Amino acid sequence: MKLLVTGGAGFIGSNFIRYVLRENPDWGIVNLDKLTYAGNLENLKDVETHPRYRFVRGDIADREFINELFQQEHFDVVVNFAAESHVDRSILDASPFLETNVKGTQVLLEAAKTYGIQKFVQISTDEVYGSIKEGQFTETSPLRPSSPYSASKAAADLLCMAYYKTFGVPVVITRSSNNYGPYQFPEKLIPLMIRNALQGQLLPVYGTGENVRDWLYVEDNCKAITLVVEQGRIGEVYNIGGGEERKNIEIVMLLCELVAEKMGKSSEDLKKLITFVKDRPGHDFRYALDSTKIQNELGWSPSVSLEEGLSRTVDWYLQNREWIERVVSGEYREYYSRVYEQGWR
Ligand code: NAD
Ligand code: DAU
């Protein structure tokens, strides 16, 4: 089976490619990535010469390029990870989010319609449902996105369903909770806190730190997406939740303890770096997913506990300190100077 994986040089995409090449000996992968600030071929160094893997640089929103690629390659399955993925960046400038997340998805759907494929897996997010104080979102909960990022992802989901209903494009959507693990760009909460703790820099917690996220170890998500590729029903949505809800402040405390333990430092000294800063505008209070559907239909449930996953993640960042510094480019520093201006640091 031949897969087009878009955004495969990013965090979840690179973990997914590695997972598939290891676990699915009959699957070949073309990885199409624009290599934005978040995409890094170093994330796939260990598989770059793999006989079932090939990299192509390109933009999913470039219609001509995408049509040529589909014409040449005859894909069986598309797994669309490619996106602008960081909420804070969407608050500073929403335009690239509309271009990639909305237009890019529509260009891919149109190519899938024209050239024909067996399945189009759209990688979406729990953020499309918005915030929930109590209980959990199911796949039929209304979409109430809060940020430009989540609005662009919700728009892409609606386009996917429209292409399924109108043209019969064989779409399946996954909506997962917050992923964490190796190769995550250090702008997201967990790798940012690990990096800052290692460097003795402030640990900026937005607002009161009471906001809740449901954490999912990235390899568990890769396993779920693989099951959806194999057995997910066309026209359906599958929630993929980690079942590990924590307040942000709890995550930051846990990370201080883990980093301190592994570095032989005092956790109290690291906790002194925690600084409560101005809140993110429109900050969703809590995300929580009901994953009964994927559990019952596809037999998936998460296998890595938060404590185990965080320990593995801290180990990976400790062993890859040079990776962190290499991906933190000039562009990243420019981004942080704009974030400082907003008072989030
Ligand atoms: P990421 O930012 O680490 O990676 C995104 C990748 O897409 C990068 O390699 C980037 O170069 C590429 N890309 C961006 N624009 C492109 C374009 N126009 N054409 C081709 N490639 C392009 O993101 P991630 O955290 O790995 O997220 C992957 C997907 O999963 C996204 O669709 C995101 O919305 C979704 N998601 C992420 C999480 C999470 O916690 N990280 C949770 C749920 C859903
Ligand atoms: O829920 C899935 C989503 O999770 C994905 O769709 C997004 O692509 C991904 O970026 C992530 O979004 P969040 O906004 O939840 O992730 P982030 O790591 O940016 O923030 C997690 C929480 O931590 C959130 O409540 C904001 C807070 N935070 C974040 C940063 C970067 C801080 O308190 N301080 C920080 O410095």
Side-chain angles (χ1 to χ4, degrees), residues 7 9-13 32-36 38-40 58-61 80-85 100 123-125 149 153 176-179 184 188:
F11 162 50
I12 308 178
L32 163 65
D33 199 295
K34 187 177 173 184
L35 299 182
T36 67
N40 186 350
D59 184 341
I60 59 165
N80 182 28
F81 290 97
E84 288 294 333
S85 68
T100 289
I123 305 300
S124 184
T125 167
Y149 161 71
K153 294 295 289 186
S176 86
S177 59
N178 284 62
N179 285 221
Q184 188 168 30
K188 309 277 165 62

PDB file of all heavy atoms in Angstrom, residues 7 9-13 32-36 38-40 58-61 80-85 100 123-125 149 153 176-179 184 188, ligand 1:
ATOM      1  N   GLY A   7       3.339  16.632   5.882  1.00  0.00           N
ATOM      2  CA  GLY A   7       3.800  17.140   7.180  1.00  0.00           C
ATOM      3  C   GLY A   7       4.599  16.107   7.958  1.00  0.00           C
ATOM      4  O   GLY A   7       4.695  16.173   9.186  1.00  0.00           O
ATOM      5  N   ALA A   9       7.727  15.729   8.269  1.00  0.00           N
ATOM      6  CA  ALA A   9       8.975  16.173   8.913  1.00  0.00           C
ATOM      7  C   ALA A   9       8.707  16.889  10.227  1.00  0.00           C
ATOM      8  O   ALA A   9       9.633  17.358  10.890  1.00  0.00           O
ATOM      9  CB  ALA A   9       9.750  17.081   7.971  1.00  0.00           C
ATOM     10  N   GLY A  10       7.436  16.968  10.620  1.00  0.00           N
ATOM     11  CA  GLY A  10       7.093  17.595  11.899  1.00  0.00           C
ATOM     12  C   GLY A  10       7.086  16.570  13.022  1.00  0.00           C
ATOM     13  O   GLY A  10       7.580  15.448  12.871  1.00  0.00           O
ATOM     14  N   PHE A  11       6.501  16.972  14.139  1.00  0.00           N
ATOM     15  CA  PHE A  11       6.552  16.147  15.351  1.00  0.00           C
ATOM     16  C   PHE A  11       5.793  14.815  15.193  1.00  0.00           C
ATOM     17  O   PHE A  11       6.398  13.733  15.185  1.00  0.00           O
ATOM     18  CB  PHE A  11       6.001  16.988  16.517  1.00  0.00           C
ATOM     19  CG  PHE A  11       5.587  16.230  17.727  1.00  0.00           C
ATOM     20  CD1 PHE A  11       6.430  15.287  18.309  1.00  0.00           C
ATOM     21  CD2 PHE A  11       4.339  16.462  18.316  1.00  0.00           C
ATOM     22  CE1 PHE A  11       6.041  14.590  19.453  1.00  0.00           C
ATOM     23  CE2 PHE A  11       3.948  15.780  19.449  1.00  0.00           C
ATOM     24  CZ  PHE A  11       4.789  14.838  20.011  1.00  0.00           C
ATOM     25  N   ILE A  12       4.471  14.877  15.013  1.00  0.00           N
ATOM     26  CA  ILE A  12       3.708  13.613  14.985  1.00  0.00           C
ATOM     27  C   ILE A  12       3.997  12.862  13.688  1.00  0.00           C
ATOM     28  O   ILE A  12       4.155  11.635  13.680  1.00  0.00           O
ATOM     29  CB  ILE A  12       2.185  13.859  15.137  1.00  0.00           C
ATOM     30  CG1 ILE A  12       1.891  14.726  16.363  1.00  0.00           C
ATOM     31  CG2 ILE A  12       1.442  12.530  15.258  1.00  0.00           C
ATOM     32  CD1 ILE A  12       0.418  15.066  16.553  1.00  0.00           C
ATOM     33  N   GLY A  13       4.116  13.622  12.564  1.00  0.00           N
ATOM     34  CA  GLY A  13       4.353  12.976  11.273  1.00  0.00           C
ATOM     35  C   GLY A  13       5.635  12.155  11.265  1.00  0.00           C
ATOM     36  O   GLY A  13       5.662  11.038  10.738  1.00  0.00           O
ATOM     37  N   LEU A  32       5.603  14.268   2.047  1.00  0.00           N
ATOM     38  CA  LEU A  32       5.583  15.597   1.410  1.00  0.00           C
ATOM     39  C   LEU A  32       5.548  16.658   2.496  1.00  0.00           C
ATOM     40  O   LEU A  32       4.624  16.690   3.317  1.00  0.00           O
ATOM     41  CB  LEU A  32       4.327  15.708   0.535  1.00  0.00           C
ATOM     42  CG  LEU A  32       3.922  17.127   0.135  1.00  0.00           C
ATOM     43  CD1 LEU A  32       4.964  17.761  -0.757  1.00  0.00           C
ATOM     44  CD2 LEU A  32       2.570  17.108  -0.552  1.00  0.00           C
ATOM     45  N   ASP A  33       6.571  17.514   2.519  1.00  0.00           N
ATOM     46  CA  ASP A  33       6.630  18.528   3.567  1.00  0.00           C
ATOM     47  C   ASP A  33       7.221  19.818   3.000  1.00  0.00           C
ATOM     48  O   ASP A  33       8.169  19.790   2.214  1.00  0.00           O
ATOM     49  CB  ASP A  33       7.491  18.019   4.733  1.00  0.00           C
ATOM     50  CG  ASP A  33       7.229  18.776   6.025  1.00  0.00           C
ATOM     51  OD1 ASP A  33       7.520  20.009   6.072  1.00  0.00           O
ATOM     52  OD2 ASP A  33       6.745  18.172   6.992  1.00  0.00           O
ATOM     53  N   LYS A  34       6.678  20.935   3.447  1.00  0.00           N
ATOM     54  CA  LYS A  34       7.167  22.246   2.999  1.00  0.00           C
ATOM     55  C   LYS A  34       8.447  22.651   3.735  1.00  0.00           C
ATOM     56  O   LYS A  34       9.155  23.554   3.312  1.00  0.00           O
ATOM     57  CB  LYS A  34       6.053  23.265   3.277  1.00  0.00           C
ATOM     58  CG  LYS A  34       6.277  24.651   2.744  1.00  0.00           C
ATOM     59  CD  LYS A  34       5.059  25.525   3.047  1.00  0.00           C
ATOM     60  CE  LYS A  34       5.267  26.967   2.686  1.00  0.00           C
ATOM     61  NZ  LYS A  34       4.114  27.805   3.065  1.00  0.00           N
ATOM     62  N   LEU A  35       8.728  21.985   4.848  1.00  0.00           N
ATOM     63  CA  LEU A  35       9.859  22.329   5.723  1.00  0.00           C
ATOM     64  C   LEU A  35       9.750  23.780   6.194  1.00  0.00           C
ATOM     65  O   LEU A  35      10.607  24.620   5.895  1.00  0.00           O
ATOM     66  CB  LEU A  35      11.212  22.052   5.049  1.00  0.00           C
ATOM     67  CG  LEU A  35      11.469  20.588   4.653  1.00  0.00           C
ATOM     68  CD1 LEU A  35      12.846  20.426   4.040  1.00  0.00           C
ATOM     69  CD2 LEU A  35      11.309  19.644   5.857  1.00  0.00           C
ATOM     70  N   THR A  36       8.676  24.055   6.921  1.00  0.00           N
ATOM     71  CA  THR A  36       8.550  25.343   7.604  1.00  0.00           C
ATOM     72  C   THR A  36       9.481  25.306   8.816  1.00  0.00           C
ATOM     73  O   THR A  36      10.221  24.331   9.007  1.00  0.00           O
ATOM     74  CB  THR A  36       7.103  25.557   8.102  1.00  0.00           C
ATOM     75  OG1 THR A  36       6.841  24.584   9.129  1.00  0.00           O
ATOM     76  CG2 THR A  36       6.094  25.416   6.969  1.00  0.00           C
ATOM     77  N   ALA A  38       8.814  24.396  11.574  1.00  0.00           N
ATOM     78  CA  ALA A  38       8.479  23.225  12.404  1.00  0.00           C
ATOM     79  C   ALA A  38       8.885  21.906  11.757  1.00  0.00           C
ATOM     80  O   ALA A  38       8.844  20.858  12.398  1.00  0.00           O
ATOM     81  CB  ALA A  38       6.973  23.202  12.685  1.00  0.00           C
ATOM     82  N   GLY A  39       9.273  21.956  10.488  1.00  0.00           N
ATOM     83  CA  GLY A  39       9.614  20.719   9.787  1.00  0.00           C
ATOM     84  C   GLY A  39      11.125  20.577   9.707  1.00  0.00           C
ATOM     85  O   GLY A  39      11.825  21.512   9.338  1.00  0.00           O
ATOM     86  N   ASN A  40      11.618  19.394  10.012  1.00  0.00           N
ATOM     87  CA  ASN A  40      13.055  19.221  10.119  1.00  0.00           C
ATOM     88  C   ASN A  40      13.423  17.816   9.653  1.00  0.00           C
ATOM     89  O   ASN A  40      13.022  16.826  10.277  1.00  0.00           O
ATOM     90  CB  ASN A  40      13.431  19.411  11.602  1.00  0.00           C
ATOM     91  CG  ASN A  40      14.911  19.400  11.816  1.00  0.00           C
ATOM     92  OD1 ASN A  40      15.679  19.065  10.912  1.00  0.00           O
ATOM     93  ND2 ASN A  40      15.325  19.766  13.013  1.00  0.00           N
ATOM     94  N   GLY A  58       7.525  20.217  -0.752  1.00  0.00           N
ATOM     95  CA  GLY A  58       6.470  20.927  -1.474  1.00  0.00           C
ATOM     96  C   GLY A  58       5.387  21.410  -0.520  1.00  0.00           C
ATOM     97  O   GLY A  58       5.377  21.074   0.661  1.00  0.00           O
ATOM     98  N   ASP A  59       4.472  22.189  -1.118  1.00  0.00           N
ATOM     99  CA  ASP A  59       3.434  22.866  -0.329  1.00  0.00           C
ATOM    100  C   ASP A  59       2.082  22.235  -0.658  1.00  0.00           C
ATOM    101  O   ASP A  59       1.703  22.173  -1.834  1.00  0.00           O
ATOM    102  CB  ASP A  59       3.457  24.353  -0.742  1.00  0.00           C
ATOM    103  CG  ASP A  59       2.509  25.209   0.059  1.00  0.00           C
ATOM    104  OD1 ASP A  59       1.577  24.666   0.678  1.00  0.00           O
ATOM    105  OD2 ASP A  59       2.694  26.440   0.046  1.00  0.00           O
ATOM    106  N   ILE A  60       1.328  21.814   0.361  1.00  0.00           N
ATOM    107  CA  ILE A  60       0.032  21.182   0.072  1.00  0.00           C
ATOM    108  C   ILE A  60      -0.957  22.180  -0.533  1.00  0.00           C
ATOM    109  O   ILE A  60      -1.956  21.782  -1.124  1.00  0.00           O
ATOM    110  CB  ILE A  60      -0.601  20.503   1.313  1.00  0.00           C
ATOM    111  CG1 ILE A  60      -0.840  21.498   2.458  1.00  0.00           C
ATOM    112  CG2 ILE A  60       0.216  19.312   1.771  1.00  0.00           C
ATOM    113  CD1 ILE A  60      -1.783  20.969   3.531  1.00  0.00           C
ATOM    114  N   ALA A  61      -0.678  23.472  -0.400  1.00  0.00           N
ATOM    115  CA  ALA A  61      -1.598  24.466  -0.966  1.00  0.00           C
ATOM    116  C   ALA A  61      -1.259  24.823  -2.423  1.00  0.00           C
ATOM    117  O   ALA A  61      -1.936  25.638  -3.029  1.00  0.00           O
ATOM    118  CB  ALA A  61      -1.593  25.726  -0.103  1.00  0.00           C
ATOM    119  N   ASN A  80      -3.071  13.273   6.165  1.00  0.00           N
ATOM    120  CA  ASN A  80      -2.747  14.706   6.112  1.00  0.00           C
ATOM    121  C   ASN A  80      -2.440  15.287   7.499  1.00  0.00           C
ATOM    122  O   ASN A  80      -3.325  15.737   8.216  1.00  0.00           O
ATOM    123  CB  ASN A  80      -3.901  15.480   5.465  1.00  0.00           C
ATOM    124  CG  ASN A  80      -3.574  16.962   5.340  1.00  0.00           C
ATOM    125  OD1 ASN A  80      -2.401  17.346   5.230  1.00  0.00           O
ATOM    126  ND2 ASN A  80      -4.591  17.801   5.360  1.00  0.00           N
ATOM    127  N   PHE A  81      -1.134  15.275   7.839  1.00  0.00           N
ATOM    128  CA  PHE A  81      -0.669  15.904   9.085  1.00  0.00           C
ATOM    129  C   PHE A  81      -0.319  17.369   8.858  1.00  0.00           C
ATOM    130  O   PHE A  81      -0.246  18.138   9.816  1.00  0.00           O
ATOM    131  CB  PHE A  81       0.630  15.238   9.579  1.00  0.00           C
ATOM    132  CG  PHE A  81       0.490  13.848  10.107  1.00  0.00           C
ATOM    133  CD1 PHE A  81       0.756  12.756   9.298  1.00  0.00           C
ATOM    134  CD2 PHE A  81       0.134  13.619  11.417  1.00  0.00           C
ATOM    135  CE1 PHE A  81       0.659  11.466   9.774  1.00  0.00           C
ATOM    136  CE2 PHE A  81       0.037  12.332  11.916  1.00  0.00           C
ATOM    137  CZ  PHE A  81       0.298  11.249  11.096  1.00  0.00           C
ATOM    138  N   ALA A  82       0.005  17.745   7.611  1.00  0.00           N
ATOM    139  CA  ALA A  82       0.588  19.069   7.352  1.00  0.00           C
ATOM    140  C   ALA A  82      -0.320  20.170   7.882  1.00  0.00           C
ATOM    141  O   ALA A  82      -1.509  20.216   7.557  1.00  0.00           O
ATOM    142  CB  ALA A  82       0.821  19.266   5.858  1.00  0.00           C
ATOM    143  N   ALA A  83       0.247  21.037   8.686  1.00  0.00           N
ATOM    144  CA  ALA A  83      -0.544  22.134   9.258  1.00  0.00           C
ATOM    145  C   ALA A  83       0.382  23.130   9.935  1.00  0.00           C
ATOM    146  O   ALA A  83       1.506  22.812  10.296  1.00  0.00           O
ATOM    147  CB  ALA A  83      -1.527  21.594  10.296  1.00  0.00           C
ATOM    148  N   GLU A  84      -0.128  24.333  10.099  1.00  0.00           N
ATOM    149  CA  GLU A  84       0.414  25.243  11.101  1.00  0.00           C
ATOM    150  C   GLU A  84      -0.270  24.791  12.387  1.00  0.00           C
ATOM    151  O   GLU A  84      -1.503  24.712  12.445  1.00  0.00           O
ATOM    152  CB  GLU A  84       0.051  26.683  10.761  1.00  0.00           C
ATOM    153  CG  GLU A  84       0.812  27.249   9.576  1.00  0.00           C
ATOM    154  CD  GLU A  84       2.306  27.392   9.838  1.00  0.00           C
ATOM    155  OE1 GLU A  84       2.699  27.563  11.013  1.00  0.00           O
ATOM    156  OE2 GLU A  84       3.080  27.335   8.872  1.00  0.00           O
ATOM    157  N   SER A  85       0.522  24.482  13.423  1.00  0.00           N
ATOM    158  CA  SER A  85      -0.058  23.755  14.562  1.00  0.00           C
ATOM    159  C   SER A  85      -0.019  24.492  15.900  1.00  0.00           C
ATOM    160  O   SER A  85      -0.518  23.965  16.893  1.00  0.00           O
ATOM    161  CB  SER A  85       0.671  22.415  14.719  1.00  0.00           C
ATOM    162  OG  SER A  85       2.008  22.641  15.142  1.00  0.00           O
ATOM    163  N   THR A 100      -2.524  27.075   4.813  1.00  0.00           N
ATOM    164  CA  THR A 100      -2.157  25.647   4.860  1.00  0.00           C
ATOM    165  C   THR A 100      -3.320  24.782   5.352  1.00  0.00           C
ATOM    166  O   THR A 100      -3.688  23.791   4.720  1.00  0.00           O
ATOM    167  CB  THR A 100      -0.923  25.445   5.771  1.00  0.00           C
ATOM    168  OG1 THR A 100       0.213  25.995   5.110  1.00  0.00           O
ATOM    169  CG2 THR A 100      -0.673  23.978   6.065  1.00  0.00           C
ATOM    170  N   ILE A 123      -5.905  14.499   9.823  1.00  0.00           N
ATOM    171  CA  ILE A 123      -5.464  14.538  11.219  1.00  0.00           C
ATOM    172  C   ILE A 123      -5.955  15.843  11.837  1.00  0.00           C
ATOM    173  O   ILE A 123      -5.396  16.916  11.596  1.00  0.00           O
ATOM    174  CB  ILE A 123      -3.930  14.408  11.327  1.00  0.00           C
ATOM    175  CG1 ILE A 123      -3.436  13.147  10.603  1.00  0.00           C
ATOM    176  CG2 ILE A 123      -3.506  14.401  12.806  1.00  0.00           C
ATOM    177  CD1 ILE A 123      -3.990  11.828  11.111  1.00  0.00           C
ATOM    178  N   SER A 124      -7.004  15.730  12.634  1.00  0.00           N
ATOM    179  CA  SER A 124      -7.580  16.914  13.265  1.00  0.00           C
ATOM    180  C   SER A 124      -7.282  16.900  14.770  1.00  0.00           C
ATOM    181  O   SER A 124      -6.386  16.181  15.220  1.00  0.00           O
ATOM    182  CB  SER A 124      -9.084  16.970  12.963  1.00  0.00           C
ATOM    183  OG  SER A 124      -9.631  18.152  13.481  1.00  0.00           O
ATOM    184  N   THR A 125      -8.021  17.677  15.511  1.00  0.00           N
ATOM    185  CA  THR A 125      -7.656  17.923  16.908  1.00  0.00           C
ATOM    186  C   THR A 125      -8.880  18.052  17.803  1.00  0.00           C
ATOM    187  O   THR A 125      -9.956  18.466  17.333  1.00  0.00           O
ATOM    188  CB  THR A 125      -6.824  19.228  16.995  1.00  0.00           C
ATOM    189  OG1 THR A 125      -6.713  19.632  18.360  1.00  0.00           O
ATOM    190  CG2 THR A 125      -7.459  20.380  16.220  1.00  0.00           C
ATOM    191  N   TYR A 149      -6.250  29.051  15.098  1.00  0.00           N
ATOM    192  CA  TYR A 149      -5.759  27.700  14.771  1.00  0.00           C
ATOM    193  C   TYR A 149      -6.902  26.694  14.747  1.00  0.00           C
ATOM    194  O   TYR A 149      -7.121  25.988  13.754  1.00  0.00           O
ATOM    195  CB  TYR A 149      -4.685  27.255  15.784  1.00  0.00           C
ATOM    196  CG  TYR A 149      -4.480  25.749  15.804  1.00  0.00           C
ATOM    197  CD1 TYR A 149      -3.869  25.096  14.739  1.00  0.00           C
ATOM    198  CD2 TYR A 149      -4.935  24.969  16.876  1.00  0.00           C
ATOM    199  CE1 TYR A 149      -3.702  23.714  14.740  1.00  0.00           C
ATOM    200  CE2 TYR A 149      -4.774  23.589  16.885  1.00  0.00           C
ATOM    201  CZ  TYR A 149      -4.160  22.965  15.820  1.00  0.00           C
ATOM    202  OH  TYR A 149      -4.008  21.595  15.810  1.00  0.00           O
ATOM    203  N   LYS A 153      -8.712  24.442  11.721  1.00  0.00           N
ATOM    204  CA  LYS A 153      -8.807  22.972  11.727  1.00  0.00           C
ATOM    205  C   LYS A 153     -10.270  22.538  11.592  1.00  0.00           C
ATOM    206  O   LYS A 153     -10.581  21.558  10.913  1.00  0.00           O
ATOM    207  CB  LYS A 153      -8.194  22.391  13.009  1.00  0.00           C
ATOM    208  CG  LYS A 153      -6.693  22.587  13.151  1.00  0.00           C
ATOM    209  CD  LYS A 153      -5.864  21.859  12.103  1.00  0.00           C
ATOM    210  CE  LYS A 153      -5.846  20.354  12.274  1.00  0.00           C
ATOM    211  NZ  LYS A 153      -4.917  19.704  11.305  1.00  0.00           N
ATOM    212  N   SER A 176      -7.345  14.068  18.016  1.00  0.00           N
ATOM    213  CA  SER A 176      -6.639  13.599  19.212  1.00  0.00           C
ATOM    214  C   SER A 176      -6.441  14.736  20.207  1.00  0.00           C
ATOM    215  O   SER A 176      -6.554  15.916  19.874  1.00  0.00           O
ATOM    216  CB  SER A 176      -5.289  12.980  18.842  1.00  0.00           C
ATOM    217  OG  SER A 176      -4.299  13.970  18.760  1.00  0.00           O
ATOM    218  N   SER A 177      -6.140  14.317  21.423  1.00  0.00           N
ATOM    219  CA  SER A 177      -5.811  15.286  22.472  1.00  0.00           C
ATOM    220  C   SER A 177      -4.336  15.665  22.363  1.00  0.00           C
ATOM    221  O   SER A 177      -3.655  15.272  21.413  1.00  0.00           O
ATOM    222  CB  SER A 177      -6.159  14.693  23.838  1.00  0.00           C
ATOM    223  OG  SER A 177      -5.434  13.498  24.043  1.00  0.00           O
ATOM    224  N   ASN A 178      -3.826  16.405  23.333  1.00  0.00           N
ATOM    225  CA  ASN A 178      -2.450  16.929  23.276  1.00  0.00           C
ATOM    226  C   ASN A 178      -1.418  15.808  23.234  1.00  0.00           C
ATOM    227  O   ASN A 178      -1.333  15.010  24.176  1.00  0.00           O
ATOM    228  CB  ASN A 178      -2.157  17.783  24.516  1.00  0.00           C
ATOM    229  CG  ASN A 178      -2.793  19.142  24.436  1.00  0.00           C
ATOM    230  OD1 ASN A 178      -4.014  19.262  24.380  1.00  0.00           O
ATOM    231  ND2 ASN A 178      -1.976  20.180  24.439  1.00  0.00           N
ATOM    232  N   ASN A 179      -0.615  15.788  22.170  1.00  0.00           N
ATOM    233  CA  ASN A 179       0.464  14.803  22.062  1.00  0.00           C
ATOM    234  C   ASN A 179       1.734  15.331  22.715  1.00  0.00           C
ATOM    235  O   ASN A 179       1.959  16.542  22.750  1.00  0.00           O
ATOM    236  CB  ASN A 179       0.800  14.559  20.586  1.00  0.00           C
ATOM    237  CG  ASN A 179      -0.217  13.707  19.846  1.00  0.00           C
ATOM    238  OD1 ASN A 179       0.135  12.846  19.057  1.00  0.00           O
ATOM    239  ND2 ASN A 179      -1.499  13.936  20.091  1.00  0.00           N
ATOM    240  N   GLN A 184       9.301  16.898  19.484  1.00  0.00           N
ATOM    241  CA  GLN A 184       8.309  17.990  19.482  1.00  0.00           C
ATOM    242  C   GLN A 184       9.036  19.318  19.568  1.00  0.00           C
ATOM    243  O   GLN A 184       9.923  19.515  20.410  1.00  0.00           O
ATOM    244  CB  GLN A 184       7.327  17.837  20.659  1.00  0.00           C
ATOM    245  CG  GLN A 184       6.178  18.842  20.566  1.00  0.00           C
ATOM    246  CD  GLN A 184       5.043  18.545  21.541  1.00  0.00           C
ATOM    247  OE1 GLN A 184       5.271  18.000  22.617  1.00  0.00           O
ATOM    248  NE2 GLN A 184       3.829  18.908  21.163  1.00  0.00           N
ATOM    249  N   LYS A 188       5.991  24.205  22.291  1.00  0.00           N
ATOM    250  CA  LYS A 188       4.823  23.632  22.966  1.00  0.00           C
ATOM    251  C   LYS A 188       5.173  23.389  24.431  1.00  0.00           C
ATOM    252  O   LYS A 188       6.348  23.277  24.793  1.00  0.00           O
ATOM    253  CB  LYS A 188       4.407  22.319  22.272  1.00  0.00           C
ATOM    254  CG  LYS A 188       4.236  22.433  20.761  1.00  0.00           C
ATOM    255  CD  LYS A 188       2.882  22.962  20.357  1.00  0.00           C
ATOM    256  CE  LYS A 188       2.809  23.434  18.913  1.00  0.00           C
ATOM    257  NZ  LYS A 188       3.046  22.469  17.869  1.00  0.00           N
TER     258      LYS A 188
HETATM  259  P1  NAD B   1       4.192  20.299  13.615  1.00  0.00           P
HETATM  260  O1  NAD B   1       4.005  21.766  13.614  1.00  0.00           O
HETATM  261  O2  NAD B   1       5.268  19.701  14.456  1.00  0.00           O
HETATM  262  O3  NAD B   1       4.455  19.799  12.114  1.00  0.00           O
HETATM  263  C1  NAD B   1       3.762  20.297  11.012  1.00  0.00           C
HETATM  264  C2  NAD B   1       4.494  19.860   9.758  1.00  0.00           C
HETATM  265  O4  NAD B   1       3.747  20.319   8.609  1.00  0.00           O
HETATM  266  C3  NAD B   1       5.906  20.461   9.622  1.00  0.00           C
HETATM  267  O5  NAD B   1       6.817  19.475   9.221  1.00  0.00           O
HETATM  268  C4  NAD B   1       5.749  21.532   8.546  1.00  0.00           C
HETATM  269  O6  NAD B   1       6.928  21.765   7.808  1.00  0.00           O
HETATM  270  C5  NAD B   1       4.645  20.912   7.686  1.00  0.00           C
HETATM  271  N1  NAD B   1       3.902  21.906   6.897  1.00  0.00           N
HETATM  272  C6  NAD B   1       3.387  23.089   7.334  1.00  0.00           C
HETATM  273  N2  NAD B   1       2.783  23.731   6.322  1.00  0.00           N
HETATM  274  C7  NAD B   1       2.890  22.928   5.228  1.00  0.00           C
HETATM  275  C8  NAD B   1       2.445  23.027   3.896  1.00  0.00           C
HETATM  276  N3  NAD B   1       1.765  24.095   3.462  1.00  0.00           N
HETATM  277  N4  NAD B   1       2.722  22.024   3.038  1.00  0.00           N
HETATM  278  C9  NAD B   1       3.429  20.931   3.442  1.00  0.00           C
HETATM  279  N5  NAD B   1       3.891  20.795   4.700  1.00  0.00           N
HETATM  280  C10 NAD B   1       3.620  21.768   5.595  1.00  0.00           C
HETATM  281  O7  NAD B   1       2.768  19.701  13.963  1.00  0.00           O
HETATM  282  P2  NAD B   1       2.375  18.401  14.820  1.00  0.00           P
HETATM  283  O8  NAD B   1       2.309  18.762  16.249  1.00  0.00           O
HETATM  284  O9  NAD B   1       3.203  17.260  14.373  1.00  0.00           O
HETATM  285  O10 NAD B   1       0.875  18.208  14.314  1.00  0.00           O
HETATM  286  C11 NAD B   1       0.605  17.428  13.157  1.00  0.00           C
HETATM  287  C12 NAD B   1      -0.895  17.448  12.923  1.00  0.00           C
HETATM  288  O11 NAD B   1      -1.584  16.926  14.051  1.00  0.00           O
HETATM  289  C13 NAD B   1      -1.463  18.842  12.683  1.00  0.00           C
HETATM  290  O12 NAD B   1      -2.446  18.751  11.670  1.00  0.00           O
HETATM  291  C14 NAD B   1      -2.106  19.212  14.009  1.00  0.00           C
HETATM  292  O13 NAD B   1      -3.196  20.069  13.816  1.00  0.00           O
HETATM  293  C15 NAD B   1      -2.556  17.849  14.501  1.00  0.00           C
HETATM  294  N6  NAD B   1      -2.621  17.680  15.968  1.00  0.00           N
HETATM  295  C16 NAD B   1      -1.535  17.957  16.746  1.00  0.00           C
HETATM  296  C17 NAD B   1      -1.606  17.722  18.116  1.00  0.00           C
HETATM  297  C18 NAD B   1      -0.437  17.994  19.024  1.00  0.00           C
HETATM  298  O14 NAD B   1      -0.599  17.895  20.238  1.00  0.00           O
HETATM  299  N7  NAD B   1       0.735  18.283  18.515  1.00  0.00           N
HETATM  300  C19 NAD B   1      -2.790  17.217  18.684  1.00  0.00           C
HETATM  301  C20 NAD B   1      -3.889  16.979  17.849  1.00  0.00           C
HETATM  302  C21 NAD B   1      -3.783  17.191  16.482  1.00  0.00           C
END
